[in-house]
Amino acid sequence: MLTTDVVVVGGGSAGLAAAIESSKAGAEVLLIDENARPGGQLFKQIHKFFGSRRHYAGIRGFEIGRRLLEEAHKNEVEIKLNTIIFGILGNKIGIVEDKTHAKWLKAKTIIFSCGASEKLISFPGWTLPGVMGAGAAQTIINLHRVLPGSRFLMIGSGNVGLVVSYQILQAGAEVVAIIEALPKIGGYGIHASKIRRAGVQIAVSHTIKEAYGKDKVEAVTIGALDKNMNLVPGSEKRFKVDVICLAVGLKPNIELPLMAGCETMFLANLGGQVPIHDENMETTVEGIYVAGDCAGIEEVSTAIESGRLAGIAVAEKLGYLTKNEAYDVKVNLREVLDELRGGPFGMQRKYAKQQLIRRAAHLKGV
Amino acid sequence: MEKGLETTGIPSMEELEKTPGFPSSKRLMEGPVAVIECLQEIPCDPCETACPLGAIEVGKPITNLPELDEDKCTGCGICIPLCPGLAIFVIDYTYSEDEALVTFPYEFLPLPEEDSLVNATDRSGRPLTKGRIVKVLARKQFDRTVVVSIAVLKKYAQRVRGIVLNRGKGE
Amino acid sequence: MRIKKHPILGSLEKKKEVNIVVDGKMLKAIEGEPIASALMANKIITFRKTRITKEPRGYFCGIGLCTDCMMIVNGVPNVRTCITPVTKGMKIETQTV
Ligand SMILES: Cc1cc2nc3c(=O)[nH]c(=O)nc-3n(C[C@H](O)[C@H](O)[C@H](O)COP(=O)(O)OP(=O)(O)OC[C@H]3O[C@@H](n4cnc5c(N)ncnc54)[C@H](O)[C@@H]3O)c2cc1C
Ligand code: SF4
Ligand code: SF4
Ligand code: FES
């Protein structure tokens, strides 16, 4: 059986960054992704990313993906695409290549960087064709260049809802409104302002009541919410739409870490159940690490830095870096991560991450 | 409903005037200058190196609000397409006797034509007045963000932030 | 509907077009695109009906998880159209079982 130093599961920004660092340090790295192309979230993102210049901010998402991938190739990271994982047993990973060949791999260490998936909400009519995830809409629009409809309603005003709405306009369709159940817009002001300037209303304290249609979505009713999140009687408005997009949050993909026996904890500010990890990104199972959105929903800069951190820590564990060599790099990466998690939006995540690390220390008896 | 960036997506004048990226009214009257409408402490900093004159500072931590040094800024507009938030504009109150020039980023099709009269819109996208398109700059280094300048009556300059054209149906 | 012009992605490149047959009707699709994308480009939004209550379903998650987009492809039922690429002459049918 093949034994690899590091198997990285998920080739988004975090996985690529982790693979690059471990490989640079001399480890043998195999990166696995279930998708036909690497890059994760980045390839359908056509906007210029906010973030830090050190992490490619100001560049469009697909271009960030291209650059990371180039660096991974330069550093001789082996990439296996179209590969599904069916099981994890100790340090053995069961994979299915190209949907046909099943086999087992042995890994000295594993880094899970399998990203996140969309959360859902249900309402009367939510199963009608035309109701879809915002990420699903983004894939079909930006990657395949097909508009699933012409009049969209966006549910959720986080960055995903705001950014995808803007991209729907760029594709030539209309966004009738963005509605948000909370009394405040969830995403960044810059994104909200950009979509407002393009003429799209953002209605806070509003929810969807029902979607109507015979064989597909034809109309929707929304209504206002009071302080206790109850529908205000008489506030309902009905209008025509043919697509309803759900952008109500992301949650870390923890199925594989769970399969591997990693313990999780619930932290709303990181998207829900998150694998517990220490300050080296190591989970409660020795030799298994997490990085990026899989370790808590954040941003590309943090995904890259947490990936690097995991990559360095793994290289240290395997003896490719001495304690001293790894130390300075890790301290520096942690400082950068800390700085990125500042401001009113980042603070919450910083506290949540600290909780995770404390819990890990407690469980490991440190 | 409550007004302001957090509830409507539209920054109010009071909110704007409080941010360090907003030039003083004195400076505004003296000629072209950047107006940075970035009001929240988010981890972002490309604007800082975008300005060749060093007129924008974010510093450390990266979540600081961008601060404009209005004396250094010449209103050249280079920073406009480099801000991923599309949050930087340039206003020139000295453009002509009764008009000001508002320059903003634009990422839709079709592009406006120079010298055409179009509806100039405010921060909510509502048409506010007619304006004349003076310049449409599409440069390779702008990476597909087009920089558009529109001349409007001076009294509208602080409210006009874009244009509305009949957006194509994608076809 | 296909997005022919785009301010960021540019004009739609010419890609190889193939014919597919959807519920007996010949339609044009682009080779290699997901079946779901070809259907929506042709304004087909409803992909299947649930077995018992006959409720309509369509493209939902886009990543092969929800199974809402399943159809009968070349005689094989339960094919997830969001992650299955179009090939020349493919026969696609609405699934009602
Ligand atoms: C609409 C939108 C706009 C955004 N805009 C910005 C922005 O402007 N600035 C910013 O900083 N951030 C932005 N983000 C966030 C940013 O994209 C993510 O935080 C970042 O890409 C996360 O990277 P990742 O590597 O952790 O996960 P992902 O990029 O999601 O990568 C995960 C990878 O894992 C693979 N995978 C998943 N499960 C498995 C499995 N079981 N087996 C094998 N492979 C698997 C997937 O195929 C994927 O390739 C945005 C996100 C969205 C959705
Ligand atoms: S307008 Fe020119 S001088 Fe002023 S901040 Fe922007 S780049 Fe600098
Ligand atoms: S680049 Fe734009 S969005 Fe980012 S901090 Fe500067 S002004 Fe704000
Ligand atoms: S749309 Fe969910 S499986 Fe295809």
Side-chain angles (χ1 to χ4, degrees):
Chain A
M1 195 184 299
L2 217 70
T3 308
T4 313
D5 283 338
V6 191
V7 170
V8 178
V9 182
S13 39
L16 286 168
I20 291 167
E21 288 308 322
S22 303
S23 187
K24 259 191 199 160
E28 191 193 348
V29 185
L30 172 67
L31 188 148
I32 297 177
D33 201 299
E34 61 184 6
N35 240 300
R37 60 168 127 190
Q41 278 297 335
L42 294 172
F43 277 104
K44 56 184 185 186
Q45 307 301 347
I46 60 168
H47 61 293
K48 291 181 176 167
F49 269 48
F50 63 81
S52 103
R53 298 188 299 272
R54 288 186 43 192
H55 306 99
Y56 312 101
I59 298 172
R60 298 190 188 276
F62 53 82
E63 178 60 21
I64 304 178
R66 203 188 56 73
R67 292 193 194 180
L68 276 172
L69 197 57
E70 205 178 274
E71 214 188 321
H73 285 312
K74 220 173 59 202
N75 285 289
E76 292 174 1
V77 173
E78 188 188 338
I79 301 180
K80 243 189 222 312
L81 300 172
N82 289 316
T83 300
I84 291 163
I85 292 177
F86 65 82
I88 295 181
L89 266 177
N91 63 348
K92 282 185 279 183
I93 307 177
I95 62 167
V96 184
E97 287 176 290
D98 295 323
K99 293 180 191 155
T100 43
H101 314 288
K103 68 174 186 197
W104 288 88
L105 303 171
K106 239 175 161 170
K108 292 185 191 150
T109 55
I110 305 175
I111 300 174
F112 287 116
S113 46
C114 23
S117 42
E118 301 194 276
K119 289 185 191 168
L120 298 175
I121 50 164
S122 59
F123 46 85
W126 77 285
T127 56
L128 280 171
V131 178
M132 63 186 76
Q138 204 185 22
T139 304
I140 209 82
I141 294 172
N142 293 343
L143 277 184
H144 306 297
R145 298 192 59 152
V146 169
L147 271 170
S150 56
R151 279 172 65 84
F152 289 64
L153 173 73
M154 181 65 64
I155 303 182
S157 71
N159 281 334
V160 173
L162 299 172
V163 168
V164 175
S165 295
Y166 185 72
Q167 296 176 352
I168 292 168
L169 298 184
Q170 288 182 311
E174 194 183 341
V175 178
V176 183
I178 300 172
I179 61 171
E180 167 62 57
L182 297 175
K184 239 168 64 173
I185 294 171
Y188 291 167
I190 45 167
H191 290 315
S193 298
K194 180 166 94 171
I195 187 93
R196 284 290 343 220
R197 286 200 300 274
V200 177
Q201 277 232 27
I202 306 172
V204 293
S205 296
H206 272 73
T207 191
I208 180 162
K209 198 176 159 212
E210 187 166 358
Y212 311 91
K214 199 169 147 294
D215 279 331
K216 55 184 174 53
V217 173
E218 289 162 23
V220 65
T221 306
I222 64 167
L225 292 169
D226 65 17
K227 277 203 296 289
N228 306 315
M229 301 292 265
N230 294 320
L231 200 68
V232 179
S235 68
E236 292 94 338
K237 276 188 213 117
R238 181 177 167 133
F239 43 89
K240 279 193 176 148
V241 292
D242 53 10
V243 181
I244 297 173
C245 283
L246 307 180
V248 292
L250 298 169
K251 56 173 197 292
N253 284 332
I254 57 167
E255 293 75 13
L256 291 177
L258 282 178
M259 212 189 271
C262 305
E263 287 188 49
T264 63
M265 99 189 243
F266 184 86
L267 288 163
N269 290 323
L270 291 175
Q273 288 293 337
V274 189
I276 296 169
H277 65 75
D278 66 8
E279 52 174 14
N280 285 325
M281 307 306 294
E282 190 173 25
T283 64
T284 53
V285 179
E286 201 189 344
I288 296 190
Y289 295 70
V290 282
D293 280 358
C294 182
I297 309 302
E298 296 195 82
E299 290 160 356
V300 109
S301 314
T302 41
I304 291 177
E305 293 303 46
S306 69
R308 283 189 183 143
L309 186 54
I312 294 284
V314 158
E316 180 187 2
K317 172 150 249 156
L318 295 169
Y320 290 102
L321 293 174
T322 64
K323 221 178 154 129
N324 280 337
E325 283 171 327
Y327 183 80
D328 287 346
V329 190
K330 290 198 301 190
V331 166
N332 181 265
L333 286 169
R334 286 184 200 125
E335 272 170 16
V336 177
L337 279 167
D338 236 32
E339 194 192 335
L340 289 167
R341 293 177 186 134
F345 293 89
M347 271 323 195
Q348 319 277 343
R349 288 187 274 119
K350 185 186 292 187
Y351 294 142
K353 279 287 186 185
Q354 285 166 352
Q355 267 175 283
L356 272 182
I357 290 169
R358 272 203 304 274
R359 187 64 169 274
H362 178 73
L363 289 174
K364 290 184 180 184
V366 185
Chain B
M1 201 194 290
E2 232 183 296
K3 290 257 181 299
L5 183 61
E6 280 195 342
T7 49
T8 62
I10 307 168
S12 67
M13 233 27 223
E14 295 82 75
E15 286 175 314
L16 285 166
E17 280 165 358
K18 270 193 281 192
T19 59
F22 208 76
S24 66
S25 21
K26 178 170 166 285
R27 176 64 186 82
L28 276 162
M29 292 310 141
E30 288 168 6
V33 65
V35 176
I36 309 177
E37 305 197 352
C38 181
L39 281 64
Q40 293 170 334
E41 293 172 327
I42 59 171
C44 189
D45 68 359
C47 51
E48 190 171 41
T49 38
C51 175
L53 300 176
I56 306 179
E57 189 183 329
V58 174
K60 260 183 172 275
I62 189 179
T63 44
N64 285 344
L65 293 181
E67 184 173 344
L68 179 76
D69 184 334
E70 58 180 35
D71 297 323
K72 279 192 193 159
C73 173
T74 59
C76 70
I78 287 176
C79 52
I80 294 176
L82 299 178
C83 160
L86 308 188
I88 309 182
F89 307 86
V90 167
I91 302 185
D92 179 5
Y93 272 100
T94 59
Y95 177 69
S96 78
E97 195 148 330
D98 44 6
E99 288 166 318
L101 196 68
V102 179
T103 304
F104 59 90
Y106 194 69
E107 294 188 328
F108 296 109
L109 289 178
L111 290 177
E113 277 171 35
E114 288 185 4
D115 280 332
S116 63
L117 273 186
V118 303
N119 282 319
T121 49
D122 64 9
R123 291 186 184 85
S124 73
R126 258 192 306 267
L128 190 65
T129 175
K130 287 269 182 214
R132 183 169 43 85
I133 301 291
V134 173
K135 210 159 32 174
V136 179
L137 259 185
R139 291 262 172 81
K140 195 162 184 315
Q141 64 267 34
F142 293 176
D143 188 16
R144 291 160 272 201
T145 305
V146 176
V147 175
V148 178
S149 301
I150 187 169
V152 294
L153 287 179
K154 279 186 183 167
K155 65 173 177 184
Y156 294 119
Q158 213 39 295
R159 285 165 66 198
V160 165
R161 285 298 175 270
I163 52 174
V164 60
L165 304 175
N166 280 328
R167 265 197 290 276
K169 280 277 169 270
E171 297 256 12
Chain C
M1 192 181 62
R2 299 233 183 250
I3 303 158
K4 300 217 172 94
K5 280 192 210 142
H6 194 287
I8 309 301
L9 298 169
S11 296
L12 194 60
E13 295 166 42
K14 272 262 169 281
K15 290 211 186 113
K16 192 175 167 202
E17 269 193 344
V18 292
N19 288 325
I20 55 173
V21 182
V22 181
D23 288 333
K25 245 175 66 190
M26 179 107 80
L27 297 174
K28 286 216 182 313
I30 291 168
E31 193 170 48
E33 72 178 327
I35 298 171
S37 144
L39 295 175
M40 291 194 276
N42 285 288
K43 297 207 162 118
I44 299 170
I45 304 295
T46 309
F47 293 2
R48 75 175 173 105
K49 297 268 171 83
T50 54
R51 201 160 61 94
I52 298 167
T53 52
K54 304 292 171 209
E55 288 172 51
R57 293 283 187 275
Y59 178 77
F60 184 73
C61 73
I63 49 171
L65 284 182
C66 72
T67 66
D68 273 5
C69 66
M70 294 193 307
M71 298 180 85
I72 305 168
V73 177
N74 292 336
V76 181
N78 300 338
V79 173
R80 288 168 299 171
T81 56
C82 67
I83 51 167
T84 307
V86 163
T87 56
K88 194 174 153 192
M90 212 172 218
K91 213 172 134 227
I92 298 152
E93 292 158 274
T94 302
Q95 182 165 329
T96 53
V97 289

